[in-house]
């Protein structure tokens, strides 16, 4: 058995991460008879669904659509217990996939990639891990997740807090009993919206520190309807095909009404919004085709949600604070399975508004806002992630001539096709900047990326080529296209992680591609079928 330090292992493909992207990339690489290995810093496969294990953690896309499609046997065999699966079930699914396709032999757990550099002489990536493994790989595939680097805001005094401090994306494995405690939660994005109702049921007092209110729509979650499951499984391929033609790679059963929200009567508009509210989830944003593209149509959808908040939350001042005023969907919509707005009717739940008066500091006893100290036994940070660029920029990743990724992206992330970076040959970034994954069922995007990468490697090998690298002009054009598409939407009208605005000092670049999945699939297929224009090939 080779040991770390003594051996440099030669690979075709080194994969960073064993979440849903890394698992499928490994499976696909093996199917091409490539020597591939995945390194995973966690002690388990599962990625996001390993780390985000806070109470209430759950996917916000229906599980029949947030799941792999590459294996008919898998999609027929697996049964989701609920319409929107919980974190433990998603983690079981990831483990099932690892076992079913015997992926574990080629996954190094508890192993973090620390450095990877392009070696011009051997035309390979040389990579090292924190456990001392060394690899020489023809291709490096980043599958480290777009939401995997926790954001811990630099609150003054955070380290001095004497109670228990937690981050939603780094939750302990043992259950925590909050009974009788005063608990604070900072952050009201998707994670905060999920954890807050659960903590409210346990804690003596729950104090929610809110900088920006979220738009929260109901999931109407529950046991998976067996009739619906049977119908889907009767023609799963059909649903997957229809979903690939839908903007979000999902929800094809609920296409938008192809009429403007502005063109219908108040009564009809309200009825349409109500219909979608009753279906639940992201389909609300696509009630009318122009909700995400026209701020006036968007304002009507936003007002509908605010009317729901006013109807649910009994205290008018609290309802007002919970009511967002920016465009709906501009920050990711939150999908609620636990009664988020109802939670604020509980006598033990208090909302502290940070919009005018940010957190002053954190003391050993609690959180100070506007001169008042809120005493706490536990403090939960639901403050999100350094999204999309976080994982690569935490690595010592060096391309041609020693170019550091941090320098390459100093003024903002650059990328061609959402997959490749100029100066970094043979590096593919699954769900990187400039791809539509954030607006899709991410597993659908992952499968598309992995298939594209695998086809590309197979094509290079068939042509006897050893190297592919995005060209700088193609990259610049692509990012200009990403921005131009965003300018036709409401996405640039607020601060969000899509823009990097949640991280102090991060350059503002709109990271996801808002064209929808079908347009992206078409563009990337064209590139592949016409000999990879925009790339230098050797
Ligand atoms: P998000 O959506 O980035 O939410 C983070 C929350 O934390 C959000 O409410 C932020 O307010 C708040 N935040 C961040 N920094 C601060 C500071 N310094 N002070 C107060 N409040 C702060 O992360 P999530 O984990 O909830 O969800 C991430 C994605 O995971 C989600 O979009 C889904 O795709 C799944 P802000 O809005 O920035 O004012």
């Amino acid at each position: 058995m080779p040991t770390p330090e003594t051996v440099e292992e030669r690979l075709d493909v080194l994969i960073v991460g064993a979440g849903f992207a890394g698992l499928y990339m490994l499976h696909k690489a093996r199917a091409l008879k490539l020597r591939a290995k995945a390194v995973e810093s966690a002690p388990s496969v599962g990625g996001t669904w390993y780390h985000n294990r806070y109470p209430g953690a759950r996917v916000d896309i229906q599980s029949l659509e947030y799941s792999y499609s590459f294996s008919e046997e898998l999609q027929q065999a697996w049964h989701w217990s609920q319409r929107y699966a919980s974190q433990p079930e998603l983690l079981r699914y990831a483990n099932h996939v690892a076992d079913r396709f015997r992926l574990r032999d080629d996954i190094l757990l508890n192993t973090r990639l620390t450095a990877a550099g392009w070696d011009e002489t051997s035309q390979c990536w040389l990579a090292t891990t924190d456990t001392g493994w060394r690899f020489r790989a023809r291709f490096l595939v980043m599958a480290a997740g777009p939401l995997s680097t926790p954001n811990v805001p630099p609150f003054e005094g955070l380290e001095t807090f004497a109670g228990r401090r937690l981050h939603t994306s780094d939750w302990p494995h043992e259950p925590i009993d909050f009974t009788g405690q005063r608990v604070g939660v900072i952050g009201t994005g998707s994670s905060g919206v999920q954890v807050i109702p659960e903590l409210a049921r346990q804690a003596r007092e729950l104090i929610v520190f809110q900088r920006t209110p979220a738009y929260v729509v109901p999931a109407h979650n529950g046991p998976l309807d067996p009739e619906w499951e049977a119908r889907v499984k009767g023609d799963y391929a059909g649903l997957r095909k229809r979903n690939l033609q839908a903007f979000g790679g999902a929800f094809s059963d609920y296409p938008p009404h192809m009429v403007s929200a502005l063109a219908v009567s108040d009564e009809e508009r309200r009825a349409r919004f109500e219909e979608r509210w009753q279906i639940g989830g992201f389909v609300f944003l696509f009630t009318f085709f122009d909700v995400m593209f026209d701020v006036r149509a968007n304002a009507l959808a936003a007002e509908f949600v605010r009317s729901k908040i006013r109807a649910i939350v009994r205290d008018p001042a609290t309802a007002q604070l919970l009511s967002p005023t920016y465009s709906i969907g501009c920050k990711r919509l939150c999908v609620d399975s636990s009664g988020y707005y109802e939670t604020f009717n509980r006598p033990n739940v208090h909302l502290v508004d940070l919009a005018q008066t940010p957190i002053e500091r954190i003391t050993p006893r609690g959180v100070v806002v506007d001169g008042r100290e809120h005493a706490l036994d536990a403090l939960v940070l639901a403050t999100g992630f350094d999204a999309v660029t976080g994982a690569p920029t935490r690595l010592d990743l060096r391309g041609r001539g020693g170019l550091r990724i941090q320098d390459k992206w100093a003024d903002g992330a650059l990328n061609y096709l959402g997959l490749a970076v100029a100066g970094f040959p043979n590096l593919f970034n699954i769900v990187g900047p400039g791809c539509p994954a954030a607006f899709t069922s991410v597993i659908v995007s992952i499968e598309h990326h992995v298939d594209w990468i695998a086809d590309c490697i197979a094509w290079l090998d068939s042509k006897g080529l050893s190297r592919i690298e995005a060209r700088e002009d193609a990259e610049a054009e692509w990012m200009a296209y990403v921005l131009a598409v965003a300018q036709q939407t409401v996405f640039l009208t607020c601060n969000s992680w899509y823009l990097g605005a949640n991280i102090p000092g991060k350059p503002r670049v709109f990271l996801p591609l808002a064209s929808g999945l079908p347009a992206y699939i078409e563009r990337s297929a064209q590139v592949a079928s016409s000999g990879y224009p925009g790339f230098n090939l050797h």
Side-chain angles (χ1 to χ4, degrees):
M1 177 77 182
T3 57
E5 281 106 21
T6 57
V7 175
E8 178 190 86
E9 191 167 349
R10 285 176 174 267
L11 297 173
D12 293 308
V13 187
L14 177 62
I15 300 160
V16 187
F20 283 131
L23 290 176
Y24 182 45
M25 189 70 235
L26 181 58
H27 176 66
K28 192 81 188 184
R30 277 183 176 177
L32 289 177
K33 307 267 182 283
L34 298 170
R35 281 162 301 152
K37 276 222 155 80
V39 290
E40 167 57 60
S41 58
S44 161
V45 300
T48 287
W49 300 110
Y50 174 78
H51 294 285
N52 292 267
R53 50 177 67 233
Y54 57 85
R58 185 179 296 283
V59 66
D60 59 8
I61 309 262
Q62 302 182 108
S63 294
L64 284 173
E65 298 178 297
Y66 183 94
S67 47
Y68 288 120
S69 69
F70 70 84
S71 159
E72 179 63 13
E73 293 74 28
L74 169 66
Q75 65 183 5
Q76 289 297 338
W78 186 263
H79 166 70
W80 296 105
S81 67
Q82 294 192 315
R83 187 174 169 200
Y84 294 87
S86 66
Q87 174 270 332
E89 192 164 12
L90 284 151
L91 186 57
R92 279 200 297 281
Y93 178 68
N95 276 286
H96 172 84
V97 170
D99 290 333
R100 173 179 277 261
F101 299 100
R102 292 185 298 283
L103 299 174
R104 293 189 194 277
D105 304 346
D106 288 319
I107 300 173
L108 291 167
L109 298 174
N110 297 305
T111 305
R112 181 182 289 277
L113 185 84
T114 47
W118 174 253
D119 176 47
E120 202 63 36
T121 316
S122 63
Q123 299 282 295
C124 280
W125 283 93
L126 304 184
T128 51
T129 72
D130 61 352
T131 47
W133 286 98
R134 289 186 296 131
F135 298 100
R136 184 179 294 268
R138 290 166 56 213
F139 296 94
L140 180 65
V141 179
M142 289 297 298
L147 296 163
S148 56
T149 307
N151 170 35
V152 179
F155 297 120
E156 186 193 322
L158 182 60
E159 300 306 323
T160 68
F161 181 62
R164 184 150 198 188
R165 189 179 113 197
L166 300 140
H167 194 293
T168 44
S169 74
D170 185 20
W171 201 263
H173 288 240
E174 73 281 4
I176 307 175
D177 186 5
F178 292 99
T179 313
Q181 297 196 0
R182 284 175 63 88
V183 180
V185 177
I186 304 175
T188 52
S190 298
S191 305
V193 162
Q194 290 189 335
V195 80
I196 285 165
E198 303 297 332
L199 296 179
R201 284 190 253 281
Q202 273 191 37
R204 178 160 61 91
E205 299 280 334
L206 183 74
I207 304 176
V208 176
F209 298 93
Q210 170 190 275
R211 185 163 71 179
T212 315
Y215 287 96
V216 182
V217 299
H220 300 301
N221 192 27
L224 187 65
D225 172 9
E227 270 176 40
W228 181 43
E229 183 182 17
R231 213 167 47 247
V232 167
K233 288 189 171 175
D235 179 22
Y236 224 143
L239 176 68
R240 302 296 195 182
K241 195 167 162 213
R242 288 192 302 283
N243 277 350
L244 287 175
Q245 290 154 8
F247 185 96
F251 324 121
S252 58
D253 289 343
Y254 302 102
H257 297 294
M258 292 313 288
V259 55
S260 168
L262 303 159
V264 295
S265 68
D266 289 355
E267 203 181 17
E268 180 178 352
R269 187 183 312 115
R270 197 164 172 92
R272 296 286 191 205
F273 282 139
E274 184 64 36
E275 238 167 59
R276 293 293 171 116
W277 185 267
Q278 292 309 330
I279 293 163
F282 280 94
V283 297
F284 180 80
L285 285 183
F286 301 97
T287 306
F288 299 98
F289 78 90
D290 53 353
V291 167
M292 293 307 294
F293 298 96
D294 183 322
V295 285
R296 294 162 310 162
N298 187 284
L300 296 167
E303 181 47 31
F304 179 88
V305 177
R306 287 192 292 267
S307 74
K308 290 289 186 187
I309 299 171
R310 290 191 294 272
I312 299 169
V313 179
R314 285 197 286 271
D315 172 43
T318 305
Q320 177 74 22
L321 282 180
L322 287 169
S323 295
T325 51
Y326 55 91
S327 292
I328 184 169
C330 183
K331 287 170 182 279
R332 190 175 171 101
L333 191 69
C334 298
V335 180
D336 169 37
S337 290
S338 312
Y340 178 69
Y341 289 129
E342 288 81 353
T343 299
F344 291 89
N345 290 333
R346 298 177 66 109
N348 66 331
V349 175
H350 313 286
L351 185 61
V352 175
D353 179 31
L354 304 176
Q356 310 306 329
T357 47
I359 288 173
E360 241 168 73
R361 64 182 188 283
I362 294 177
T363 66
R365 276 168 48 88
V367 172
V368 180
V369 180
D370 204 12
R372 174 172 171 204
E373 185 181 68
H374 299 269
L376 300 171
D377 301 304
L379 177 60
V380 175
L381 300 181
T383 44
F385 302 88
D386 181 356
V388 185
T389 56
T393 54
R394 293 304 188 282
L395 287 174
D396 181 6
L397 184 62
R398 291 167 197 254
R400 231 175 350 98
L403 176 64
R404 295 167 70 241
I405 193 75
Q406 294 85 347
D407 295 331
K408 168 81 192 184
W409 285 351
D411 297 326
L414 289 164
N415 192 298
Y416 176 44
L417 276 184
L419 279 159
V421 186
F424 293 76
N426 291 8
L427 171 81
F428 295 110
N429 197 354
I430 300 177
V431 187
C435 86
F439 303 136
T440 69
S441 169
V442 78
I443 299 189
V444 177
S445 282
I446 284 170
E447 285 191 324
H448 173 260
H449 266 177
V450 169
D451 291 346
W452 192 95
I453 294 166
D455 289 349
C456 177
I457 295 176
W459 183 85
L460 292 167
D461 287 352
S462 74
K463 300 276 178 206
L465 296 166
S466 60
R467 166 172 163 174
I468 182 165
E469 181 186 339
R471 289 205 336 239
E472 274 182 11
D473 57 342
E475 185 180 65
E477 259 173 51
W478 185 258
M479 293 314 284
Y481 164 64
V482 171
L483 179 61
V485 174
Q487 282 164 339
Q488 292 164 32
T489 70
V490 303
F491 285 120
L492 298 180
T493 61
C494 75
N495 289 325
S496 66
W497 62 255
Y498 302 143
L499 258 176
N502 60 329
I503 304 295
K506 186 166 173 173
R508 295 217 175 181
V509 169
F510 192 74
L511 296 167
L513 172 64
S515 67
L517 191 63
Y520 175 73
I521 290 178
E522 199 182 317
R523 288 284 290 254
S524 44
Q526 263 167 15
V527 170
S529 64
S530 27
Y532 297 91
F535 288 98
N536 285 326
L537 304 164
H538 297 282

